[in-house]
Amino acid sequence: MDPKRMIGRIAFGLLVLGIVVWAVFPFAWAIITSLKAGSALFTVEAWPSQPSLANYAAIFKEQPFGRNILNSLLAASAVVALSLGLAVLAAYALGRVRFCGRGLLLFVVLGVSMFPQVAVLSGLFELVRWLGLYNRIGSLVLSYLIFTLPFTVWVLTTFMRELPKELEEAAMVDGAGPFVIVTRVFLPLMGPALAATGLLAFIAAWNEFLFALTFTLTDDARTVPVAIALMSGASQYELPWGQIMAASVVVTVPLIGLVLLFQRRIVSGLTAGAVKG
Amino acid sequence: MSGLPHSSLERQRRRAAWLFLLPMLIVLAGVAGWPLFRTVFFSFTDATLATLDGFQGVGLDNYLWLMRDPVWWRAVWNTLVFTVVSVGIETALGLGIALILNAHLPGRGLLRAAVLIPWAIPTVVSAQMWGWMFHDLYGVVNAILMGLGLIAEPRAWTADPDLALPVVIAVDVWKSTPFMALLILAALQMLPRDLYEAARVDGVHPVKVFFRITLPLIRPALMVAVLFRTLDALRVFDLMYVLTGNSRSTMSMSVYARQYLIDFQDVGYGSAAATLLVLVLAVATVLAVTLGRVRVDAGR
């Protein structure tokens, strides 16, 4: 290999290394910080001289973080189940049946997913209060539908469209109606698509901040992002950075694990509708 | 029995289609359509959070007040600067990373996994992580920059009005570039290989190949990605709220609207701000679809 090529190779390698460090360092630093207890927090060192899990213990003892995780899990699971159920039926109609107004409907669905959340805040607040859901998980399930439902409908529609026509025709010849076709013929084929779409919708619901911040009031009712954003320490002026980082690590590690595990599916799910998850 | 069996089947399917759509449409109307209508409606009233059912119409007053509030215009400016700069940088960086990922080189799997990490991290968490790294007293950014001799004394990154918006943009670039890179990568992987073979045989310079072949071919996908990121950036809330609170130097339109709606309980005025944000988004979409000729189409 000639030297010019060699230098090019090395420069390229350094560039890739730089990108990897840039992408990974902040999270690595959060892990390092979370292991520092007491005054060690206030010295910048690459690895704590006395690593400690005190921050992790504190978030579950001093903060209702276990409860916050449970809230997030419940809200996100409920909204994903609801969205997928509604979206499978809608996706069949939008993806496989020709009727007038279909293009417009798809456009409206996409438009809703582009809504600024703050634009529905006052109307939703009124609705939430009227339904008696304020400071309850139900308010979050209701409001999260505004972004999970359009997303799941959109992605599943693109997927439905790809399924072979012969399958449906064969079922029709056997006298199956549309509902049977969706539930018995298509649904079993849609496992991977449902998993990928559901996972992306779950992540979106899990990460949601504005609605959760607005529709919950007490520490117990908060979801994970709100808890992490508003975590406070012994005094008002001193943020418990060690605990904030510990909480961040606890909720992010499973997400990163899932994303890395499903990375191929996620990339195809994201690009299917080019909708942000 | 009426007509051909085929057309009656078709009619049955069409009826079923509407039946299947109905639940979704009702839910969307309930959680999106009706609340949006109420927001627009409230923007012409003096409703407060405490008196959502007892209010009076005030015509365009809220909008007129909004036009005269320098803080609102600052929020509009912040939002536009944030959107243009962060989406611009994200597109350029995302394109670069996608090209590297698309080249069949060693270490590609590692790079893709690493790049997915910022994407997987919740926005609130990334804001807190970076807030800690940018901490004025104990932050690692100050320590590194001072160690390298780039700054003489620690900076208050998130409190300094001149630095706060660049910091917010930097965090957004870190968080959102992966999304851009993945979408562009998907477009790159669909390009026909023989085109590149032909270009290579003809000895066309790689830079020329990029501008003459690659870029025009991925343009449609690129434009869709840019549109989605732009709409997302225009409604930004979490990043500013968590990193810098309600500080004026970074406040976005969403932060401004929410502050009036919830913190000041002035639903009428806050709704007017929220309605204007919807208009800005609508204008951006129309511009993108007409000028940028973006085609958004399920299933292509």
Side-chain angles (χ1 to χ4, degrees):
Chain A
M1 208 186 285
D2 63 302
K4 211 174 150 193
R5 231 179 117 83
M6 192 82 161
I7 292 172
R9 275 269 166 116
I10 293 173
F12 187 80
L14 285 177
L15 179 71
V16 171
L17 191 70
I19 297 172
V20 171
V21 169
W22 174 65
V24 175
F25 178 75
F27 188 60
W29 189 248
I31 297 177
I32 293 168
T33 303
S34 71
L35 296 172
K36 293 178 180 174
S39 60
L41 204 56
F42 307 122
T43 54
V44 175
E45 50 184 355
W47 187 254
S49 45
Q50 288 166 315
S52 128
L53 292 174
N55 289 318
Y56 289 89
I59 53 172
F60 290 104
K61 261 188 267 164
E62 293 169 26
Q63 319 268 1
F65 200 60
R67 182 62 204 261
N68 299 140
I69 292 178
L70 187 68
N71 290 340
S72 275
L73 275 177
L74 284 175
S77 317
V79 80
V80 166
L82 216 58
S83 305
L84 286 180
L86 291 168
V88 166
L89 288 179
Y92 172 80
L94 289 168
R96 304 199 68 92
V97 184
R98 298 208 151 271
F99 58 90
C100 67
R102 186 174 67 160
L104 181 73
L105 266 181
L106 272 169
F107 196 75
V108 167
V109 167
L110 188 66
V112 171
S113 74
M114 294 290 113
F115 260 21
Q117 292 183 328
V118 78
V120 289
L121 209 56
S122 44
L124 266 180
F125 198 95
E126 191 190 29
L127 193 67
V128 161
R129 206 189 262 171
W130 183 71
L131 291 169
L133 292 174
Y134 185 67
N135 206 27
R136 286 164 194 255
I137 291 175
S139 66
L140 304 182
V141 178
L142 185 79
S143 50
Y144 290 179
L145 279 169
I146 196 174
F147 55 88
T148 56
L149 188 56
F151 170 74
T152 45
V153 167
W154 187 267
V155 177
L156 291 183
T157 299
T158 55
F159 186 81
M160 275 279 189
R161 204 168 274 187
E162 307 288 308
L163 292 173
K165 207 174 173 198
E166 291 75 22
L167 266 175
E168 193 177 357
E169 282 171 351
M172 270 155 81
V173 170
D174 289 344
F179 191 74
V180 175
I181 291 175
V182 174
T183 52
R184 296 280 172 80
V185 182
F186 286 155
L187 211 51
L189 294 173
M190 293 179 68
L194 288 176
T197 319
L199 181 65
L200 287 173
F202 187 93
I203 291 176
W206 178 269
N207 294 353
E208 200 283 335
F209 181 62
L210 179 54
F211 290 144
L213 177 71
T214 307
F215 298 140
T216 59
L217 187 67
T218 53
D219 285 359
D220 280 356
R222 284 176 185 160
T223 59
V224 164
V226 185
I228 288 177
L230 302 182
M231 206 170 263
S232 55
S235 85
Q236 193 188 336
Y237 301 102
E238 181 192 348
L239 284 175
W241 284 108
Q243 293 182 21
I244 293 175
M245 292 303 127
S248 300
V249 172
V250 167
V251 299
T252 309
V253 164
L255 278 185
I256 291 180
L258 279 174
V259 166
L260 294 185
L261 201 64
F262 288 98
Q263 47 176 302
R264 275 170 202 285
R265 291 254 172 83
I266 284 174
V267 173
S268 58
L270 273 177
T271 50
V275 175
K276 186 170 186 212
Chain B
M1 282 291 155
S2 62
L4 294 158
H6 184 74
S7 72
S8 95
L9 257 181
E10 203 42 46
R11 216 174 306 131
Q12 186 204 350
R13 281 183 81 213
R14 228 170 278 162
R15 230 185 357 251
W18 281 107
L19 212 62
F20 287 179
L21 281 170
L22 205 60
M24 184 226 17
L25 291 175
I26 291 173
V27 170
L28 275 191
V31 299
W34 173 249
L36 181 66
F37 167 76
R38 289 299 277 177
T39 299
V40 177
F41 174 80
F42 281 137
S43 74
F44 298 107
T45 72
D46 63 354
T48 68
L49 212 52
T51 60
L52 271 184
D53 37 15
F55 47 76
Q56 283 178 332
V58 292
L60 288 170
D61 275 9
N62 288 327
Y63 291 94
L64 295 177
W65 279 110
L66 211 50
M67 292 300 113
R68 272 175 296 193
D69 182 5
V71 182
W72 163 253
W73 288 111
R74 181 69 205 256
V76 174
W77 174 247
N78 286 341
T79 310
L80 293 181
V81 169
F82 171 82
T83 304
V84 171
V85 176
S86 61
V87 175
I89 298 176
E90 285 157 21
T91 310
L93 272 179
L95 196 56
I97 293 176
L99 285 172
I100 295 177
L101 283 173
N102 196 41
H104 292 266
L105 291 161
R108 170 165 169 256
L110 175 74
L111 181 61
R112 185 167 71 176
V115 156
L116 271 168
I117 289 177
W119 179 80
I121 292 178
T123 310
V124 169
V125 170
S126 65
Q128 289 283 40
M129 274 173 14
W130 283 95
W132 170 239
M133 287 171 60
F134 278 118
H135 197 279
D136 50 348
L137 297 177
Y138 316 116
V140 67
V141 173
N142 272 334
I144 290 176
L145 290 180
M146 278 166 71
L148 292 174
L150 291 174
I151 52 172
E153 52 196 46
R155 298 282 182 89
W157 296 97
T158 51
D160 186 330
D162 295 329
L163 293 175
L165 195 58
V167 163
V168 170
I169 290 172
V171 178
D172 190 67
V173 166
W174 180 79
K175 164 94 183 104
S176 303
T177 299
F179 171 73
M180 219 51 170
L182 292 180
L183 287 188
I184 297 171
L185 177 63
L188 285 175
Q189 284 174 341
M190 286 196 291
L191 296 183
R193 294 238 163 262
D194 42 346
L195 258 178
Y196 289 90
E197 278 301 310
R200 207 172 52 85
V201 170
D202 290 350
V204 184
H205 193 271
V207 175
K208 204 172 173 188
V209 172
F210 173 74
F211 282 106
R212 292 286 172 80
I213 302 178
T214 311
L215 209 52
L217 283 177
I218 63 166
R219 208 192 80 99
L222 193 64
M223 291 305 284
V224 171
V226 169
L227 174 64
F228 277 106
R229 270 303 303 147
T230 303
L231 294 181
D232 219 41
L234 284 173
R235 58 185 174 173
V236 62
F237 174 79
D238 325 19
L239 258 187
M240 277 88 168
Y241 188 84
V242 176
L243 263 176
T244 53
N246 286 330
S247 152
R248 280 182 194 185
S249 53
T250 56
M251 181 181 273
S252 69
M253 289 159 82
S254 282
V255 174
Y256 181 93
R258 186 195 174 272
Q259 190 182 26
Y260 275 93
L261 279 171
I262 307 297
D263 297 346
F264 302 157
Q265 311 224 338
D266 191 343
V267 173
Y269 188 77
S271 296
T275 306
L276 284 185
L277 174 57
V278 177
L279 284 181
V280 169
L281 279 166
V283 168
T285 312
V286 170
L287 280 181
V289 172
T290 53
L291 295 182
R293 282 173 296 156
V294 177
R295 287 199 50 214
V296 183
D297 184 15
R300 267 150 284 145

